[in-house]
Every structure is written in structure tokens, then in C-alpha cells.
Amino acid sequence: MPARVARSPWPWVRTLAGLAVLAALVWSVGTGPFLAGLRLIDGPAIAAALAIGLVTTVCCAWRWALVAEGLGIRLPLGVAVAHCYRAVFLNSTLPGGVLGDVHRAVRHGRDAGDVGRGVRAVVWERTAGQVVQLVIAVLVLAALPSPVRRYLPAVAGALLAAGLGLVLLARVAPRGGTSAWGRALRTGIADVRAGLLARRTWAGVLVASAVVVAGHLATFVVAARTAGADAPLTQLVPLTLLALLAMGVPANVGGFGPREGVAAWAFAAAGLTAAQGVAAATVYGALVLVASLPGAAVLLRRQLRIPRTHCAP
């Protein structure tokens, strides 16, 4: 009898954590803000979400193609756009919020003939996007009033220390040796240099990431206005940034969970209401799902393949 393959419990733990957050919100504010936000979605909001989603998806695909090319595997932009649309759709409909990216990473690696390098390309392009979003968030939250403004010096100091630590680690990393840790570290350093910091790559990665962050912010502002939040942009933008940062926590159900929880807290702490925060985050989730619907069409195209190429040395 074949041995059973042990499965990690963490996917279930993350899903249960997202459900717990949603349950706490329903207990606190009721189902009204969730349902009211969805009822307020109209044609202009959907059109704006689709247009912004097109721009952000193309920029994500461009960033992915740049990083993949830097790592030595070919990724045509058109195919990257299709795969990114599919990934966003899967991220928006499946627990965890990252399964779509896992799928495109493995699929690209298999089609290109190197799963490891394909997975690393997605990991590094996603990491670059998160770093740029974090830097933009710190700058905006420092410039505009927000519930976390007084904590920013400590946060900025911690981020600076972490960055310097990584640079120091890269400089003292052993160039030889055969240990798994040493090989992984050397591979990571080589990937960052070739895939993110190369002369022909870094500027495109930076611009694409900044546009993606701006697009997510714009979609959230549209969602907040649709949900009835009439606060000025100088007050609304920092709150939406906090909610977007919460989306990086892989403990959600179809994207819902920490985002709504942080939005409820941030809106209430800024003098608005928790119900407004929940409604805005709910509308945002719905608009993102609508904007990702082209990815459902990609799922139906089973013949989509990335041309098989040999990896560069």
C-alpha cells in the first residue's frame, strides 16, 4: 500500500484565520455594511475597475517578463498578460490569495523547461512589488495624517535596519561551499542582481510596480466613494493604503478577511466609521473580482502555452 503524502496544515490554518476575521467583523458591525456596499456598485464603478485592472495587469505582466528575462527564461508579454489575468482571477476566488501566482509560476517553469527558475521569477517579481508598495506606503503615511503616523519613525528604522542587514549578508556570503543554505543564498544574490538590479531591468520593475500600487489605490478610492465615503482624498488615501498592506497577509477567503478588518479599524480610528471601512473594502474586493473576469476566459483556453525555450546559462 503506497505511503500517504503528508500535507501541510497551514493552508487550512490561513483559511480559518480569514474566516475568523470575517466572523468577528459580522459580529461587530453585522452583515449590513457588506450587503450595502455590494448593492451600491454601479456601471461607472465597474467600468473604472475594468480599465484600471487592465493597466495594472499589463504592468504586472511587464514586470514579470522583465524579471524572467533577467533570470534567463523567455516570457512573451502577451502570454504574461494572459497568465497574470488568470492568476488574479484565481487569487480572487480561491482561499489564501496566492494560489493563482503559484499556478502561473509552476506553469511558466514547466513550459520554459526549468520549474525552479520559473518559480523564482514569480517570487522575485512579487517581492519587488511588495517592497515598492511598502516604500510608497511609508512615504505617503508619513506625509498625510493617518492612525499610524506616530509609529512610522520606528517602522522606517526597522525597515532600514533590515535592508542594511540584507546587504551585509549578501556581501559576506561565502562564494564557495556546497551546503544547501550557501547554494540558496548564492542563487538568491545572483537572481537579485540579474533579475531586479540589472541595468536593463531595475527601472522597468520600479515603474511597473509604482503604477500597480497607484492602480490599486485608485480602485480602492473608487470603491470607497461607491460605498458612500465622502472623506477628502488626503484622509482617504492613507486609510486605503493600510487596507492594501493588509492584503499581503495570506490569511483570507477569496481575498476577504484581513483587508476588511484593517479597513474597519483604520476608518474608525480616523474618525469615520468601521461600517464605512468594511463597505469600502467589500466593494473593492467585488471590483477586483470583476476586473479579473478576463482571467476566467483564459482558464477556458486550455491550449495556452508558453513557447518552450532553453534557459540561458
Side-chain angles (χ1 to χ4, degrees):
M1 217 168 123
R4 291 185 179 179
V5 178
R7 294 187 178 182
S8 171
W10 287 112
W12 289 105
V13 172
R14 293 194 296 264
T15 301
L16 290 175
L19 286 172
V21 173
L22 291 175
L25 285 174
V26 171
W27 179 82
S28 177
V29 303
T31 60
F34 294 93
L35 299 177
L38 294 177
R39 284 196 296 265
L40 289 171
I41 296 176
D42 54 14
I46 291 175
L50 286 169
I52 297 171
L54 174 61
V55 174
T56 57
T57 302
V58 170
C59 284
C60 284
W62 178 36
R63 181 177 66 199
W64 182 23
L66 286 172
V67 174
E69 184 178 352
L71 297 188
I73 45 180
R74 180 172 173 262
L75 179 61
L77 181 59
V79 176
V81 170
H83 282 259
C84 282
Y85 259 121
R86 181 183 58 200
V88 174
F89 177 75
L90 293 176
N91 287 344
S92 300
T93 54
L94 296 177
V98 296
L99 294 180
D101 292 309
V102 173
H103 184 270
R104 70 178 167 103
V106 175
R107 178 73 172 272
H108 174 216
R110 286 176 177 172
D111 289 342
D114 191 328
V115 173
R117 206 175 297 199
V119 170
R120 297 201 315 268
V122 171
V123 169
W124 287 120
E125 69 93 4
R126 282 292 304 263
T127 300
Q130 293 295 321
V131 170
V132 171
Q133 177 174 280
L134 189 57
V135 171
I136 291 175
V138 170
L139 294 176
V140 172
L141 293 173
L144 299 176
S146 74
V148 299
R149 194 174 190 178
R150 59 180 174 173
Y151 304 112
L152 285 180
V155 173
L159 291 175
L160 182 60
L164 291 175
L166 290 174
V167 172
L168 179 61
L169 181 64
R171 290 182 64 88
V172 302
R175 301 297 184 227
T178 58
S179 68
W181 186 87
R183 290 196 303 270
L185 185 58
R186 290 193 299 274
T187 298
I189 294 172
D191 284 351
V192 170
R193 288 174 175 170
L196 297 179
L197 301 181
R199 182 179 301 178
R200 60 183 181 181
T201 302
W202 71 266
V205 170
L206 180 62
V207 171
S209 300
V211 173
V212 169
V213 174
H216 292 330
L217 270 176
T219 303
F220 214 123
V221 169
V222 170
R225 292 291 191 234
T226 301
D230 56 359
L233 287 179
T234 53
Q235 184 181 17
L236 200 56
V237 167
L239 305 182
T240 61
L241 261 177
L242 291 173
L244 288 175
L245 289 175
M247 291 174 58
V249 179
N252 57 71
V253 182
F256 293 86
R259 178 183 62 215
E260 285 67 29
V262 170
W265 167 80
F267 274 61
L272 303 176
T273 67
Q276 281 184 318
V278 171
T282 302
V283 173
Y284 175 83
L287 292 181
V288 169
L289 177 59
V290 170
S292 72
L293 287 179
V298 175
L299 281 173
L300 300 177
R301 294 182 55 191
R302 298 182 180 276
Q303 299 305 315
L304 180 64
R305 291 290 185 272
I306 297 176
R308 183 174 295 276
T309 59
H310 294 289
C311 295

